[in-house]
Amino acid sequence: MENTGEIRNKILEVFAEKYGSSEGARVFFAPGRVNLIGEHTDYNGGHVFPCALTIGTYGAVRRRDDRALNFYSMNFEGEGVIASSLDDLKPLEDKDWTAYPKGIIWAFGEKGYTVGSGFDIVLYGNIPNGSGLSSSASVEVLTGYILRELYGFEGITNIDLALIGQYSENRYNGVNCGIMDQFAIAMGKKDNAIFLDTATLQYEYAPVKLLDAKLVIACSNKKRGLGDSKYNERRAECEKALSEIRTLVDVKSLGELDEATFGKVESLIKDDVRAKRARHAVYENRRTISAVRALRNGNITLFGQLMNASHESLRDDYEVTGPELDALVNAARKVPGVIGSRMTGAGFGGCTVSIVRNGNIDEFIERVGREYLEKIGYAADFYVVSIGDGPGEVF
Ligand code: GLA
């Protein structure tokens, strides 16, 4: 069910089954994202370089006249229609996936855009759940886009949708994520990655011209579990390191430091682990700037080397890779035609992203898949992906 037209028909059919008819229902889409380089830099005031994917989340939706909210996900069929209401939006209390759309309705209210009547919705996502390709941010941006369209909240830009998504994730869901995922999704552009300075939200599109190669995502199928709390822990370690540096140097974020300046102030950080975390944040930001320059110059080889260095830093200094992602990357590095390979997203499970020459993709999937299965004991999944646009209505 990969063709947009087919997905639209199917989701409207399910909508009619669940809610009586599909008359007046509209269908919207928001992508998932993959980050090419610049990991764990976004909450450190550094740069990121993600792109939106052509896979994502679809939503068929229709306004109601009362205050009821009905949610159904084709990815969680067993949970059935989950009934709620606009009077039932309480941060940090939801235990199921509806926390993501409900958080957005709540966040709209907090920002002065009060949603006065409910809706019925059916969601269908073709991003593998928990894969680190931002299925949750995709649902958040999708919901924001739908609210803007359905309730006529003019003046909300796509960047606002990203910020509202992040606000909701932080406050309603309790994950202190940065802005990268929601921004990449809300601002996605076909065949382009987004070079974003998270300190200022200034951004530029950069065409991803890989010539005879493609992006291949390998999904570890390791469920993240503890990921969210570890994520918040890494963030806190960086904040503490920054506060130690600030006793001597006036900087707002680790992203303001280059390697040389960091070398001079590193000894202010009173704990070795914290110093490693900060080193990653500083070096990864600089690597991202260099990588975008390399891509613009058509130097894919250098871009790939910087991806490899990014993974090593995430493994050794930031310690967010784990045996599964390391196994995928180690196996990938042995396959001819692999230009670069690294973990992507928060880590602790999730996916790797590799640039692989077209002629080697089958071999890549076969060899990396076999080595992963032997080492880890369960299979990885592979996706050859394309870079797509941001959210929109599907006709
Ligand atoms: C998650 C977060 C992002 C970012 C990445 C790591 O995807 O949601 O904000 O911090 O991890 O780069």
Side-chain angles (χ1 to χ4, degrees):
M1 200 166 76
E2 286 312 288
N3 163 304
T4 305
E6 277 166 33
I7 294 176
R8 185 175 192 278
N9 291 342
K10 179 71 193 164
I11 194 172
L12 284 171
E13 212 174 275
V14 174
F15 189 96
E17 250 169 53
K18 301 292 164 192
Y19 304 120
S21 86
S22 62
E23 219 188 299
R26 292 165 70 183
V27 179
F28 297 90
F29 169 79
R33 70 96 186 89
V34 64
N35 188 23
L36 301 181
I37 193 163
E39 215 67 81
H40 289 280
T41 47
D42 63 349
Y43 52 83
N44 284 308
H47 293 76
V48 293
F49 195 50
C51 48
L53 298 171
T54 52
I55 52 176
T57 318
Y58 293 79
V61 62
R62 184 174 60 203
R63 263 181 84 158
R64 301 176 56 95
D65 297 327
D66 58 13
R67 294 178 64 75
L69 293 167
N70 291 309
F71 300 97
Y72 180 80
S73 167
M74 291 165 67
N75 299 78
F76 299 103
E77 286 178 347
E79 297 186 23
V81 173
I82 300 176
S84 187
S85 129
L86 290 172
D87 303 310
D88 192 23
L89 305 173
K90 302 202 180 70
L92 306 176
E93 285 199 1
D94 297 310
K95 298 279 176 289
D96 55 53
W97 66 269
T98 62
Y100 296 107
K102 281 164 78 180
I104 297 297
I105 307 171
W106 172 85
F108 263 64
E110 293 287 298
K111 302 282 176 200
Y113 300 102
T114 304
V115 175
S117 65
F119 57 74
D120 297 329
I121 193 165
V122 171
L123 292 185
Y124 167 72
N126 53 8
I127 309 170
N129 294 325
S131 62
L133 301 178
S134 286
S135 53
S136 48
S138 176
V139 171
E140 288 162 1
V141 172
L142 176 70
T143 309
Y145 193 92
I146 286 174
L147 295 182
R148 181 174 77 188
E149 295 296 308
L150 246 53
Y151 297 88
F153 294 129
E154 280 157 25
I156 298 181
T157 64
N158 277 27
I159 293 183
D160 295 332
L161 292 181
L163 288 165
I164 293 173
Q166 183 199 16
Y167 182 83
S168 156
E169 180 96 33
N170 293 169
R171 307 287 178 98
Y172 198 89
N173 294 302
V175 178
N176 289 329
C177 68
I179 188 64
M180 171 170 74
D181 303 346
Q182 291 83 1
F183 198 99
I185 290 167
M187 300 298 288
K189 183 172 167 187
K190 189 176 183 332
D191 296 331
N192 282 259
I194 309 173
F195 182 41
L196 170 68
D197 179 347
T198 62
T200 59
L201 291 193
Q202 286 192 344
Y203 66 97
E204 283 167 24
Y205 290 108
V208 180
K209 293 201 186 99
L210 300 178
L211 307 173
D212 64 340
K214 289 199 173 59
L215 295 176
V216 183
I217 287 171
C219 187
S220 70
N221 287 325
K222 153 118 199 265
K223 292 294 167 231
R224 266 200 269 154
L226 275 180
D228 290 349
S229 59
K230 288 266 182 229
Y231 182 92
N232 288 348
E233 184 185 297
R234 289 293 177 283
R235 187 169 179 153
E237 287 166 337
C238 287
E239 276 162 13
K240 177 89 186 137
L242 175 66
S243 71
E244 290 167 296
I245 293 171
R246 280 168 56 90
T247 55
L248 216 68
V249 198
D250 183 25
V251 283
K252 283 192 207 63
S253 70
L254 294 173
E256 282 180 26
L257 299 170
D258 60 18
E259 297 92 334
T261 321
F262 180 71
K264 290 191 198 126
V265 298
E266 191 173 357
S267 61
L268 292 168
I269 307 171
K270 294 290 168 248
D271 170 87
D272 286 350
V273 170
R274 238 172 9 244
K276 288 204 293 182
R277 307 297 191 242
R279 188 181 314 134
H280 167 77
V282 170
Y283 278 70
E284 178 75 355
N285 179 43
R286 306 300 295 175
R287 253 192 303 273
T288 305
I289 297 168
S290 304
V292 175
R293 192 181 312 126
L295 186 69
R296 287 197 194 281
N297 292 338
N299 192 345
I300 317 271
T301 307
L302 177 56
F303 189 87
Q305 286 163 355
L306 291 162
M307 286 175 76
N308 292 345
S310 165
H311 185 85
E312 274 134 39
S313 176
L314 288 156
R315 181 189 65 204
D316 301 335
D317 282 346
Y318 222 62
E319 297 182 272
V320 293
T321 56
E324 296 81 9
L325 295 171
D326 288 340
L328 288 172
V329 163
N330 291 342
R333 301 261 175 94
K334 293 181 208 153
V335 180
V338 174
I339 297 166
S341 183
R342 59 180 290 274
M343 61 151 270
T344 183
F348 315 104
C351 295
T352 64
V353 57
S354 307
I355 302 179
V356 188
R357 288 201 200 286
N358 294 337
N360 299 97
I361 292 178
D362 290 344
E363 183 185 1
F364 177 91
I365 294 175
E366 200 272 316
R367 282 181 57 182
V368 177
R370 182 158 29 89
E371 191 170 319
Y372 185 77
L373 181 61
E374 273 164 21
K375 260 220 162 72
I376 302 297
Y378 50 85
D381 287 317
F382 295 87
Y383 305 87
V384 180
V385 293
S386 309
I387 302 178
D389 282 318
E393 185 159 3
V394 181
F395 297 101

